Amino acid sequence: MTGADEAPARSLPGPLVLGVRHHGPGSARAVRAALDAGRPKAVLVEGPPEADALVALAADEEMRPPVALLAHAVDDPGRAAFWPMAEFSPEWVAIRWALAHGAEVRFIDLPATHTLAATDPTWGDEDEAAGQGLRVDPVAELAEAAGYDDAERWWEDVVELRGSTDPFAPFEALAEAMGALREAYGHGGHPRDLVREAYMRIRLRAAQKEFGDDIAVVCGAWHVPALRRRTPVTADRARLKGLPKVKTELTWVPWTHRRLARRSGYGAGIEAPGWYAHLFTASDRPVEHWMTKVARLLRDEDLAVSSAHVIEAVRLADTLAVMRGRPLPGLGETTDAVRAVMCDGSDVPLDLIRDRLVVGDVLGTVPAGAPAVPLQRDLERLQRGLRLKPEAHERELELDLRKGTDAARSRLLHRLRLLGVGWGAPVAGRGSTGTFRESWRLCWEPELHVQVAEAGVWGTTVEGAAAAKAESQAVAADDLAAVTALAEQCLLAGLTEALPAVLHALAERAALDSDVVHLAQALPALARSLRYGDVRATDTAALGEVAAGLAERICVGLPPACTGLDTDAAAEMRERVDGVHAALALLTTRPERPGAPDEPDRTNGTAGTAPADGTGAEGTAGTAGAGAEGAAGTAASAGTAACAGAGAEGAAGTAAYDGTAACAGAGAEGTVGTAASAETAASAETAASPGTAASAGTGTGAGAEGTAGAAASDADTADTADTADTPGGGLADRWAGVLRRLAGRERVPGVLRGRAARLLLDEGRLGEDEAARLMGLALSPGTPPADAAAWIEGFVGGASGGGLLLVHDERLLGLVDDWLSGVTAEAFTDVLPLLRRTFAGYESGVRRTLGELVARGPGTAGPAGPAVATPGFAGTPDQERADGVMPLLHLILGIQGQ
């Protein structure tokens, strides 16, 4: 039907009220046919009346559905509501028809100024429906009355898959059915509908005064009986009196089929938006076209699907429709046919079809002339400039930070994350693990427009808004870890303007926080920030000073903080120790920035390196002999070690912590002199933490004016074997000393002692014989089984690659086997959960090899010999061949050779 003269006469007088199902293609086709037949002068559509000024944009060529009207409160952009419309939505069809035929278009639902003052009516009003009884689903009620157990199937049979020669008959039949439901259920658990319908009647009366009865109303079928009911104007106005208000703004935003789906949480959603879009656009032979789409998708996924499969699937779908008494094959019949013919009965490819086709990931577009906050405009400009197109489906983006465009993309994504706009999330990359690469998972959701509007309070550009929010968060943060994480975000986002304020807040929090756990939690983020700064050519000198200070304080305070911990606290502290260890590895191996001037290392507390002859000029440290004025000298007898660090004039002294060699800094003119014997420990101005003991018979080291002494006891010697001339080596050595203290102190929980020993072994600072000795002590008969099991968890826990360690060192495996064999039955029940957690973390191949070794009986004379070596591998590494690989590794990882 294309003209009113061909249409049958309507049986009811008054305006043409077309009750529809939101996002129903059958309703959309029926609306278009009724409007062609009725030719109204005005079309009234369910929606917020504030959007009347935006309706003309629907005719723009750049406007492609699915789209949505977005309303948000001006003072609180997070309070927002959406009115989505798809190509097959009856409301969208009515709007486009009116604009194409010169008819007036108006929205008649309750204004957004009232709906946003309460809650969003398009997503449900559970707060107002509380205590009102169960909500009524009109379609489900009618389907049940017709003998259907599936509401979607009933709707397809009576509306979507049937046609009608009378364009008005479907709406009159549906209005009659809804009238019966409203008489039985009233508002059906939707009390706010009474207010909405009162406002709709007021708008309808106003349109009738202007256009008479030559009006068409397109609204949800549930509201038709209420709009046709004669109600006094005073009663309607009384319902609207005193409604709360809030200032709002509206615009068009892109929407997606995925967000139209009911499973996304949309109250008026449908089960299969992609299928409905297909039914609306493919009016000729829809089943054949659908099967062709399915075949194309499966072929793209490298599944073998031929034309014969398509033909057979169509035949099967038609046969199933006849057997089930349906007018045409529906989604159920086509799905069953695809499963049987194209998927070989498997639901795995069927899940892909449901996701890509039945639901779909279509993303609409809106014209540039649509209203938007300034921040949204700037984001769109950046997206165009960086060629980052928003897409509804998830995709991964690999960035090479050495390229200008990729670096700019990285900064944009990090700035949006700081603003709370979750367009992208960092993921582990599948390629290089170098710091110059990043991997992101991107997915644009309609709600991001709301998040951008919320972030607009911080500024009009992405960079300015991110910097303003970072500065505000730095001032408000009262947690050291939060400030360090913020500093890391600022470096990643390239917010150089906000970085000084963040670093100032960081220095203040670090100075005031004395909790070692907090310091240990903050250090990894600082270390990563320094590495990121190197990659992005950012000046991080101030950040390096803060990180070095935190590292020194952790080294001093960690040993006493690790004593007397319960199981949960020990497990948490183990995570902190691992984090600090990884952070110090970054700090001590951080590559120099290109073009950076030579400067003293700031991580080891000394101004220079230690010459072998024990002498040095001002600001150097000697390891033996005496230094003159302006030099540092230390003397140590057998079994002791002392380290003296002298900086410039007025350099500060470093405190000696439990069981470690002392580092002393001089006062006036930087002069330092120290002396220690194997039986003495004393100093002039050195602070020692608990556990440091001075033996009888002391000796003191004297220096020039402002001299400070450093003490070292014979029992607690420091490993200075590889202190030498390596930048950051002093800090690495002091951390190794901390790990030695943790590994050897009985009051430290077993999981921490085992972990410390493992870290030392991995770093090459603990020999295999010493590791075996420590394990033997930890697993001795006098050790409680639970503590021994915890030591094993720390030393060979699944996440640390301990399984391979046991495979390649049968002495350690033999110790574990002997200990486990000697555990009593009562104690075994207690330690079994911990042991299962330890060994369950190993890969299946490692567990199988360990089982074979235990069954065979591990050797006790040392590591596995050639008889059990892996075929093709030598018993010992070939150092010369390994050195030849290092330049290539440095090139791949983007670091300088150390």
Side-chain angles (χ1 to χ4, degrees):
M1 296 276 177
T2 58
D5 55 336
E6 302 176 6
R10 292 171 51 214
S11 59
L12 295 176
L16 176 60
V17 183
L18 305 177
V20 300
R21 186 188 187 190
H22 300 299
H23 318 305
S27 293
R29 287 193 299 268
V31 164
R32 184 164 54 194
L35 293 177
D36 286 337
R39 297 283 178 171
K41 295 180 180 178
V43 177
L44 308 183
V45 180
E46 182 180 334
E50 295 96 334
D52 287 349
L54 304 175
V55 72
L57 291 173
D60 195 293
E61 293 182 356
E62 297 181 5
M63 179 77 85
R64 290 191 292 271
V67 294
L69 285 169
L70 164 63
H72 65 84
V74 175
D75 297 332
D76 183 12
R79 182 181 296 180
F82 296 96
W83 285 263
M85 299 182 193
E87 183 180 11
F88 50 86
S89 298
E91 297 88 348
W92 179 258
V93 170
I95 292 172
R96 293 296 297 264
W97 185 94
L99 293 175
H101 292 80
E104 185 75 13
V105 184
R106 294 177 185 176
F107 291 101
I108 62 171
D109 204 348
L110 191 68
T113 185
H114 297 307
T115 58
L116 293 183
T119 56
D120 180 7
T122 66
W123 291 83
D125 43 7
E126 289 82 356
D127 53 338
E128 292 194 8
Q132 298 291 334
L134 295 177
R135 297 176 136 206
V136 175
D137 182 351
V139 176
E141 292 293 330
L142 294 177
E144 183 179 358
Y148 282 73
D149 57 0
D150 187 341
E152 292 294 328
R153 176 171 294 184
W154 174 83
W155 183 262
E156 280 192 343
D157 286 353
V158 301
V159 178
E160 306 298 343
L161 303 180
R162 293 186 185 274
S164 175
T165 57
D166 184 352
F168 307 115
F171 298 106
E172 294 180 0
L174 195 57
E176 182 180 356
M178 291 298 170
L181 290 178
R182 292 298 294 263
E183 289 180 4
Y185 296 105
H187 56 64
H190 303 261
R192 191 182 303 159
D193 283 352
L194 301 178
V195 179
R196 296 173 58 200
E197 290 161 354
Y199 188 83
M200 290 182 190
R201 287 191 292 266
I202 291 176
R203 294 278 291 182
L204 178 58
R205 293 188 190 100
Q208 283 181 293
K209 290 182 179 179
E210 186 175 354
F211 301 101
D213 288 341
D214 199 3
I215 298 172
V217 180
V218 180
C219 63
W222 179 256
H223 304 299
V224 171
L227 296 185
R228 286 181 172 177
R229 184 184 309 120
R230 294 185 177 275
T231 305
V233 178
T234 54
D236 289 340
R237 295 190 182 279
R239 284 191 178 275
L240 301 174
K241 187 176 181 180
L243 290 179
K245 293 183 179 181
V246 65
K247 188 177 181 181
T248 60
E249 290 182 350
L250 277 81
T251 187
W252 289 103
V253 296
W255 203 252
T256 67
H257 277 176
R258 199 172 304 279
R259 297 302 297 169
L260 281 173
R262 180 172 299 167
R263 65 183 182 184
S264 70
Y266 176 39
I270 53 180
E271 296 292 342
W275 166 255
Y276 277 5
H278 172 77
L279 289 181
F280 184 74
T281 56
S283 56
D284 178 40
R285 306 177 71 181
V287 177
E288 288 83 350
H289 288 295
W290 179 258
M291 294 301 181
T292 303
K293 286 183 178 180
V294 172
R296 185 182 301 115
L297 173 63
L298 295 179
R299 288 168 184 164
D300 291 341
E301 297 296 325
D302 294 330
L303 295 177
V305 178
S306 66
S307 300
H309 286 87
V310 175
I311 295 172
E312 186 60 31
V314 172
R315 289 176 178 171
L316 180 57
D318 290 336
T319 302
L320 290 174
V322 173
M323 293 176 61
R324 296 170 181 176
R326 308 198 67 183
L328 288 173
L331 180 59
E333 286 69 38
T334 57
T335 299
D336 291 342
V338 167
R339 180 192 289 110
V341 177
M342 299 185 187
C343 301
D344 296 326
S346 173
D347 283 340
V348 175
L350 204 61
D351 290 338
L352 177 67
I353 296 170
R354 289 194 184 101
D355 184 68
R356 299 280 186 86
L357 294 181
V358 177
V359 175
D361 50 15
V362 178
L363 176 65
T365 61
V366 298
V373 296
L375 184 62
Q376 180 69 44
R377 296 289 187 208
D378 185 62
L379 175 57
E380 293 172 353
R381 178 185 62 82
L382 293 172
Q383 288 172 334
R384 290 192 299 269
L386 297 175
R387 298 187 297 278
L388 274 178
K389 182 181 179 181
E391 296 178 353
H393 63 274
E394 279 192 359
R395 64 186 180 100
E396 289 197 5
L397 178 67
E398 299 287 339
L399 300 178
D400 186 340
L401 301 181
R402 297 170 297 184
K403 300 178 181 179
T405 301
D406 282 359
R409 290 173 173 175
S410 173
R411 288 192 294 270
L412 173 62
L413 294 173
H414 281 295
R415 288 169 183 174
L416 291 176
R417 277 174 56 82
L418 196 151
L419 288 171
V421 180
W423 180 19
V427 295
R430 292 172 294 182
S432 171
T433 57
T435 55
F436 56 84
R437 290 194 180 275
E438 280 185 349
S439 298
W440 291 81
R441 181 173 291 118
L442 305 182
C443 182
W444 186 267
E445 296 284 355
E447 290 81 359
L448 296 181
H449 289 279
V450 179
Q451 297 175 5
V452 173
E454 288 182 286
V457 300
W458 297 107
T460 58
T461 65
V462 175
E463 181 178 3
K469 185 174 182 180
E471 293 178 2
S472 176
Q473 287 182 338
V475 173
D478 55 0
D479 179 54
L480 179 60
V483 183
T484 55
L486 184 61
E488 182 180 10
Q489 285 182 296
C490 289
L491 285 171
L492 293 171
L495 301 176
T496 55
E497 295 183 0
L499 196 56
V502 175
L503 291 180
H504 177 72
L506 176 60
E508 288 186 347
R509 302 298 187 279
L512 296 176
D513 200 328
S514 59
D515 191 328
V516 175
V517 176
H518 292 169
L519 300 179
Q521 188 177 4
L523 185 61
L526 287 180
R528 290 192 301 268
S529 299
L530 288 169
R531 174 56 60 91
Y532 296 147
D534 290 328
V535 175
R536 291 168 170 80
T538 306
D539 185 9
T540 57
L543 198 62
E545 294 177 358
V546 176
L550 285 183
E552 294 286 356
R553 294 170 62 187
I554 291 171
C555 288
V556 173
L558 189 61
C562 290
T563 60
L565 300 178
D566 61 14
T567 303
D568 294 337
E572 181 182 358
M573 185 62 77
R574 174 189 173 176
E575 296 179 2
R576 301 284 84 82
V577 170
D578 285 343
V580 171
H581 185 77
L584 293 181
L586 290 177
L587 291 177
T588 55
T589 61
R590 189 164 61 98
E592 297 294 332
R593 294 189 305 274
D598 294 336
E599 58 183 13
D601 179 47
R602 296 180 177 174
T603 62
N604 60 6
T606 64
T609 60
D613 59 0
T615 63
E618 179 178 355
T620 65
T623 59
E629 179 178 353
T634 58
S637 63
T640 65
C643 170
E649 294 183 0
T654 304
Y657 47 85
D658 177 37
T660 62
C663 290
E669 298 185 4
T671 306
V672 176
T674 61
S677 69
E679 300 178 354
T680 64
S683 66
E685 298 175 10
T686 304
S689 62
T692 302
S695 63
T698 61
T700 58
E705 57 186 52
T707 301
S713 67
D714 182 50
D716 295 324
T717 60
D719 183 7
T720 57
D722 27 70
T723 307
D725 308 332
T726 302
L731 180 57
D733 291 335
R734 287 196 287 280
W735 175 245
V738 173
L739 294 178
R740 287 183 179 275
R741 307 288 87 70
L742 295 179
R745 297 183 67 171
E746 294 184 359
R747 295 184 60 193
V748 174
V751 67
L752 292 177
R753 287 188 282 118
R755 189 59 183 155
R758 177 60 188 278
L759 293 177
L760 289 171
L761 180 65
D762 290 345
E763 292 291 329
R765 294 179 178 269
L766 188 69
E768 294 181 357
D769 293 337
E770 180 66 12
R773 187 185 70 84
L774 290 176
M775 177 175 280
L777 293 175
L779 304 184
S780 62
T783 305
D787 195 29
W791 197 95
I792 294 176
E793 164 70 12
F795 190 76
V796 294
S800 60
L804 290 176
L805 181 65
L806 294 178
V807 168
H808 293 292
D809 194 334
E810 294 191 41
R811 289 181 303 169
L812 301 181
L813 178 60
L815 290 172
V816 175
D817 185 34
D818 292 342
W819 168 79
L820 191 57
S821 300
V823 175
T824 63
E826 296 78 5
F828 183 78
T829 304
D830 296 332
V831 301
L832 180 59
L834 184 58
L835 292 175
R836 292 185 64 179
R837 185 176 65 192
T838 301
F839 290 97
Y842 299 160
E843 295 181 358
S844 59
V846 173
R847 293 198 302 268
R848 182 172 57 252
T849 303
L850 288 175
E852 293 173 354
L853 291 174
V854 172
R856 186 193 65 192
T860 57
V868 294
T870 304
F873 290 86
T876 58
D878 188 332
Q879 187 65 38
E880 183 178 354
R881 296 180 64 187
D883 291 340
V885 179
M886 297 307 296
L888 179 60
L889 286 178
H890 292 153
L891 178 62
I892 294 175
L893 297 177
I895 62 175
Q896 298 178 4
Q898 300 297 322

